[in-house]
Amino acid sequence: MIRLAAASEVVGTSLGDVEVCVTGGRRGPVLFFPGGHGGATVDCGWESYTRFGYRVVAFSRPGHGRTRVGDRTAAGFVPAVEEVCAALGISTVTAVVGVSSGGLQALHVAASGSVRPARLVLHSAAPSTLRHPDSAGRRALGRVLSGPRVQRGLGSVVSRTVATDAGLRLVAGSLWHTWGPEDRDRARATFRATGSGGGLAADLRQGRPDDDGARHTLLRRVSCPTLVTGSRHDGAVRFAHALDLAEHIDDARLAELDSPTHLFWVGPHAAQVHRAVQSFLAELL
């Protein structure tokens, strides 16, 4: 059965409401920032942490879930993250984790100087110092699809499609036969969360080439040990971003995955991520 957090709650901050999902666990906490796969309530990789007993605090970023803080950049959302940590009684952070477009948010939190995590983890993250999306065609398509109305419509279509096994099999293609029942539940939950409101548009704006210099400076400000994971088979984020992140963050190591898709947390290849995370965080014990 899909591992969803026990509850989702909204924490009021000076910037507005922030939705978080908090799991149990004696280790941690781990601040987790999903990408464009949905809000805080959908497991898009935090099982790699909960399975080892870490307490995960997953955030719905601006434009996602029930977070209502206006059109905030990743840098502009940091004060709200700090206030949520204070409200939850979090004074020390084991790791900050960013998945896909949530990687930029994790970078800003890790480099802020206030949260000071012991570790940073970036899974299939973009943008790096490289622009994202990478091609003119993908950037144009992103602009078309990023409107809130289009996102809501797209989310409704995808949700109806994957509601049945036949629909999910159509979306999964050949991967269907490699997934067990729990993998299929996890994939369905991810696909049903499609539709980011204004979040996708904000992510696209922050990956522009005219911000390359600012992102380069940001990476150099990260002072904690960092794990970067990525796959050469990822159709959404080029492996070049993982290489670039590992090159520009001073104390970074790269774990190359064999995951056949961007959804590294679904299917048998997820075991690679589990092992990489366990080994990286075990250094703190």
Side-chain angles (χ1 to χ4, degrees):
M1 187 173 184
I2 188 71
R3 289 182 174 88
L4 295 179
S8 167
E9 59 182 294
V10 172
V11 179
T13 74
S14 60
L15 299 183
D17 290 341
V18 176
E19 182 184 34
V20 293
C21 215
V22 183
T23 72
R26 295 185 178 182
R27 295 178 177 174
V30 171
L31 307 186
F32 194 98
F33 298 98
H37 318 95
T41 60
V42 178
D43 175 5
C44 63
W46 40 257
E47 196 223 354
S48 292
Y49 302 86
T50 58
R51 70 187 290 121
F52 300 119
Y54 291 97
R55 178 191 179 202
V56 171
V57 182
F59 288 73
S60 290
R61 297 186 296 117
H64 297 270
R66 293 190 289 161
T67 291
R68 300 289 184 269
V69 294
D71 188 16
R72 299 278 173 181
T73 64
F77 189 54
V78 171
V81 174
E82 295 169 348
E83 290 184 39
V84 169
C85 288
L88 296 179
I90 296 173
S91 57
T92 59
V93 173
T94 297
V96 172
V97 181
V99 175
S100 190
S101 53
L104 188 61
Q105 185 65 67
L107 282 162
H108 274 284
V109 171
S112 66
S114 55
V115 174
R116 297 185 183 279
R119 292 288 189 272
L120 170 65
V121 186
L122 302 170
H123 295 299
S124 301
S128 54
T129 66
L130 307 175
R131 66 168 61 177
H132 183 74
D134 306 280
S135 69
R138 288 195 173 190
R139 289 193 295 274
L141 180 61
R143 287 192 293 270
V144 171
L145 297 178
S146 63
R149 184 175 299 179
V150 175
Q151 282 288 296
R152 285 192 295 270
L154 178 63
S156 178
V157 170
V158 173
S159 183
R160 290 198 301 270
T161 299
V162 301
T164 65
D165 281 352
L168 182 60
R169 187 183 299 115
L170 178 66
V171 173
S174 61
L175 294 175
W176 172 265
H177 301 290
T178 71
W179 291 350
E182 188 172 300
D183 294 318
R184 293 168 184 173
D185 284 343
R186 185 173 287 108
R188 178 175 283 113
T190 301
F191 288 131
R192 295 189 76 168
T194 300
S196 65
L200 177 59
D203 292 339
L204 291 174
R205 288 194 298 272
Q206 295 178 88
R208 296 177 302 188
D210 53 345
D211 290 332
D212 289 355
R215 294 196 299 273
H216 184 279
T217 300
L218 172 65
L219 298 189
R220 290 303 188 193
R221 287 170 48 208
V222 175
S223 59
C224 60
T226 301
L227 173 67
V228 179
T229 72
S231 170
R232 296 181 189 272
H233 310 293
D234 189 332
V237 173
R238 289 193 303 133
F239 189 67
H241 287 281
L243 293 171
D244 187 76
L245 290 166
E247 176 185 353
H248 288 96
I249 296 174
D250 285 340
D251 188 5
R253 67 196 72 178
L254 175 63
E256 183 173 348
L257 309 178
D258 294 330
S259 176
T261 73
H262 189 54
L263 306 187
F264 62 86
W265 59 91
V266 179
H269 294 277
Q272 288 183 307
V273 185
H274 301 334
R275 289 193 296 270
V277 167
Q278 181 184 30
S279 175
F280 183 59
L281 297 186
E283 298 172 7
L284 297 172
L285 302 179

